[in-house]
Amino acid sequence: MALYGYKRRQHQVADEEAESARDPLLRCADLILPWLTPQELAAVSLTSAGLRRASLSVARRRSSDAARGLEPLPVPFLSAVDSRPYAYFLYAPSSFSRALSPPNDALLPLRQPWGSSSRTVDRPTAFPSREAADVVVGGVVLGCGCERCEGRDCACWGGDGGGEEEEEVVVVVSECGPGCGCGSECGNRASQRGVEVRLKIARDKKKGWCLFADQAIEKGRFVCEYAGELLTTKEARARQKEYDELASSGGFSSALLVVREHLPSGKACLRINIDATKVGNVGRFINHSCDGGNLSTVLVRSTGALLPRLCFFASNDIREGEELSFSYGETRLRSNGLQCYCGASNCFGVLPSEHT
């Protein structure tokens, strides 16, 4: 029965694409509709029967891949609790900073194409890729000369991101970077190839959208990065104030994450503010668990890169269909903290929070 339903949907999409190829208006629509927000798409769907079918086709394609074709594997949306087929946001495969962007990229776009029948249209290049910014010292880009790094023989080697550390502790590891002689298949670039495990985003009545494993994931394997816009502390505090005001009226939750890395001297702390509320990747759908969850948070430093990236590795063997989660922290300073629905036996009842 499920196979019949799948084939029926495939035939339906093929019929819609054939109709679009015959109708000049629908051919134009296929170029324009993928750029629209859900509200704009809904308004266009009311103008004619043909545009309604085209809009529904765009919505189906959006729900089939949250990553917009920018990851090695699609990440579908599944919603059985309400009529929301997908969550709308701009996709960035890796974190970025407006301040560190080249001058011509300083003003990042407010739109991305998403939902076209042409895969080439769905691969926007406006946001930075996973290639990290180089740090040049004395005119030389830092990095190793290995053609393929094997374990600790590589000068960039920094350990394994799925170790025995406690889940709430942010582990720091090193990988090869843009100045190294090895390629993308190097074993010391585990977190730089994107989402290579099957994931899905499903909607829950209480928690909203959640990220699930769509295959078994072995302990220590890289799952995904937490990508978004890198902010200064001043910007992060201003945005959190704005987000708190929106959340007070209900129906809004932010995805601003603050990570603190205590430097070896013990006298300084590197603070990283990542805001995935409007621009981010699939990591923005990972929920908190008071028992630490099944993901380890790891700061990955690529040799020659300016800033580390926050990455998730499986802290234990994860079953297919299991929700992915990690600990947002232990601090609960804010009196208006959001209710926690993690379901752990030691659940505090309130999500971790602090004064940003």
Side-chain angles (χ1 to χ4, degrees):
M1 192 70 174
L3 180 60
Y4 171 77
Y6 172 77
K7 288 184 175 180
R8 184 178 180 182
R9 288 193 298 273
Q10 292 293 95
H11 287 307
Q12 186 177 10
V13 170
D15 291 342
E16 290 168 350
E17 291 178 355
E19 180 182 359
S20 177
R22 291 191 299 269
D23 189 327
L25 174 62
L26 295 183
R27 286 204 303 271
C28 292
D30 194 49
L31 296 175
I32 298 172
L33 298 187
W35 293 86
L36 302 185
T37 65
Q39 294 79 10
E40 293 167 341
L41 195 63
V44 168
S45 70
L46 300 176
T47 58
S48 72
L51 288 176
R52 174 174 171 77
R53 287 193 296 270
S55 298
L56 289 174
S57 179
V58 168
R60 276 193 292 270
R61 292 190 183 97
R62 288 181 177 183
S63 64
S64 69
D65 185 15
R68 304 183 185 226
L70 294 173
E71 299 289 358
L73 294 173
V75 184
F77 286 100
L78 300 171
S79 180
V81 299
D82 57 31
S83 59
R84 297 176 63 179
Y86 59 88
Y88 186 82
F89 65 104
L90 302 186
Y91 201 91
S94 196
S95 291
F96 66 95
S97 168
R98 296 172 194 265
L100 297 177
S101 298
N104 60 338
D105 287 336
L107 295 176
L108 294 170
L110 299 177
R111 297 176 184 269
Q112 273 182 315
W114 186 22
S116 169
S117 60
S118 170
R119 298 302 297 166
T120 56
V121 177
D122 272 345
R123 301 193 67 84
T125 57
F127 292 106
S129 67
R130 291 185 182 83
E131 287 300 315
D134 294 344
V135 177
V136 181
V137 179
V140 178
V141 179
L142 300 177
C144 70
C146 304
E147 292 184 2
R148 182 174 178 81
C149 306
E150 299 292 344
R152 300 181 186 275
D153 293 337
C154 172
C156 303
W157 176 258
D160 186 354
E164 299 297 326
E165 304 288 341
E166 293 293 327
E167 287 83 0
E168 63 270 15
V169 176
V170 178
V171 187
V172 181
V173 303
S174 298
E175 290 186 345
C176 292
C180 299
C182 54
S184 61
E185 295 305 313
C186 170
N188 197 32
R189 294 179 182 266
S191 70
Q192 299 175 38
R193 294 187 286 268
V195 179
E196 295 186 315
V197 295
R198 293 199 173 277
L199 306 173
K200 61 184 178 182
I201 303 165
R203 191 157 179 80
D204 180 83
K205 287 184 179 179
K206 293 182 178 179
K207 293 187 283 187
W209 294 109
C210 314
L211 190 65
F212 288 81
D214 206 20
Q215 67 170 71
I217 304 174
E218 63 273 18
K219 178 180 179 180
R221 185 165 183 183
F222 171 70
V223 176
C224 69
E225 178 179 349
Y226 191 90
E229 185 178 355
L230 297 168
L231 305 176
T232 65
T233 297
K234 181 179 179 180
E235 290 171 330
R237 286 173 176 162
R239 288 204 189 175
Q240 190 59 60
K241 183 178 179 181
E242 175 191 346
Y243 294 157
D244 286 344
E245 292 175 356
L246 292 171
S248 64
S249 60
F252 177 86
S253 59
S254 68
L256 199 166
L257 193 65
V258 178
V259 182
R260 292 178 175 85
E261 177 191 357
H262 293 279
L263 301 182
S265 65
K267 299 179 180 180
C269 174
L270 174 65
R271 172 177 167 141
I272 304 172
N273 309 290
I274 309 174
D275 187 5
T277 305
K278 298 177 181 178
V279 185
N281 71 337
V282 296
R284 71 197 293 276
F285 297 105
I286 304 176
N287 287 313
H288 163 80
S289 181
C290 292
D291 64 6
N294 49 22
L295 297 177
S296 295
T297 52
V298 179
L299 277 180
V300 177
R301 292 187 175 278
S302 299
T303 303
L306 187 60
L307 293 172
R309 295 176 298 114
L310 181 64
C311 296
F312 297 111
F313 291 78
S315 58
N316 51 261
D317 291 335
I318 299 173
R319 303 182 307 275
E320 180 179 352
E322 186 176 344
E323 183 183 354
L324 302 177
S325 60
F326 74 105
S327 172
Y328 290 4
E330 300 298 325
T331 307
R332 290 169 173 81
L333 296 179
R334 297 166 65 186
S335 59
N336 59 343
L338 299 175
Q339 189 171 354
C340 180
Y341 298 105
C342 72
S345 59
N346 62 336
C347 180
F348 285 87
V350 178
L351 289 174
S353 61
E354 58 181 282
H355 304 296
T356 306

